[in-house]
Amino acid sequence: MIPIPSSDETRETLRAHLESLLRDTAHGTPLDPAAAEAVSSAIAHYLADQRLSPPLPDDYLHLLIYRALRTLNQNDAARAWAAAHLPGIDVPVFDPDVWPGPVPLLVWQLFASRLVRPARTVTAEGRILWTLDFRRLRKEQAGWLEITLLPGLRALLEQLAPAWDDSSGAGLLGLRGLYAAGFAPTPRRRRKIQSHSAYAPLDASAIRTFCLRVLAHLQAARGWKHSPEVLYLDFPSQT
């Protein structure tokens, strides 16, 4: 992670750091100096537009470099970069061919933490299913949902919106792990009382309702004929 420079030095410090990252990997797949300059310049301008300044996680910068290389058709360099710097990260999700829009830091943080992690697949009808997985959420985190997760979830759905543009909003959004994370009551044998996590002020239906509300807003804003369906993808275990 790079240190915090003064305001006048921010962009040049960031560009120098990006160029250093590129040089460190260039020995495997040499990168044209003009391409390296284009990558550094594009990322520096993007972060300035996002009003982001150092320090920034190198893993986030590595992802932005990968996407910039792909956008510039430097595919060999992009593959080498992903192999060297993005092991264990689901790069295809953020590949420009799959995720054409920008990747704000907030959305990247949700992916990186695995708190909310979409997986892209295609159903038999050809509709895209994006799965949001809540199983990574610790129970003690649940009480912060309304001020942390929900704004992030809204940002994530807004970034996913282009995936449904071609089908005019016809698609599927799957919610997984709500029982495991304590947002839904788990039926228990020999007990009539059902309860969800004491830490969670929200329940499964509230999460689903929030997603439907955001998607309805996106439908109006983007002129979709449909709004993606929101489905529960798992069932409570019997104990």
Side-chain angles (χ1 to χ4, degrees), residues 64-75:
L64 296 183
I65 289 173
Y66 167 80
R67 284 173 53 86
L69 290 170
R70 286 281 288 106
T71 302
L72 292 170
N73 293 318
Q74 300 286 328
N75 294 323

Side-chain angles (χ1 to χ4, degrees), residues 106-118 131-158 175-178 181-183 199-204 206-208 210-211 213-214:
L106 176 60
V107 172
W108 174 84
Q109 288 172 329
L110 289 174
F111 276 76
S113 69
R114 295 178 176 267
L115 179 62
V116 179
R117 188 166 180 80
T131 301
L132 306 186
D133 194 341
F134 292 82
R135 290 174 295 183
R136 297 275 176 174
L137 184 70
R138 298 192 307 271
K139 288 184 178 180
E140 62 269 23
Q141 292 176 309
W144 293 93
L145 276 174
E146 291 180 89
I147 60 175
T148 57
L149 180 59
L150 294 188
L153 185 54
R154 179 187 294 110
L156 181 60
L157 293 177
E158 289 171 350
L175 306 180
R176 186 184 301 282
L178 291 172
F183 297 108
Y199 294 95
L202 303 175
D203 58 20
I207 297 290
R208 181 175 182 270
F210 178 80
C211 292
R213 188 164 62 246
V214 173

Side-chain angles (χ1 to χ4, degrees), residues 46 50 52 60 64 94 99 101-109 155 159:
Y46 170 71
Q50 295 288 310
L52 294 174
Y60 180 54
L64 296 183
F94 284 118
W99 190 293
V103 183
L105 180 61
L106 176 60
V107 172
W108 174 84
Q109 288 172 329
Q159 294 301 317

Side-chain angles (χ1 to χ4, degrees), residues 173-176 178-179 203-209 230-235:
L173 176 68
L175 306 180
R176 186 184 301 282
L178 291 172
Y179 288 94
D203 58 20
S205 62
I207 297 290
R208 181 175 182 270
T209 298
V230 181
L231 310 174
Y232 298 121
L233 296 183
D234 48 14
F235 300 94

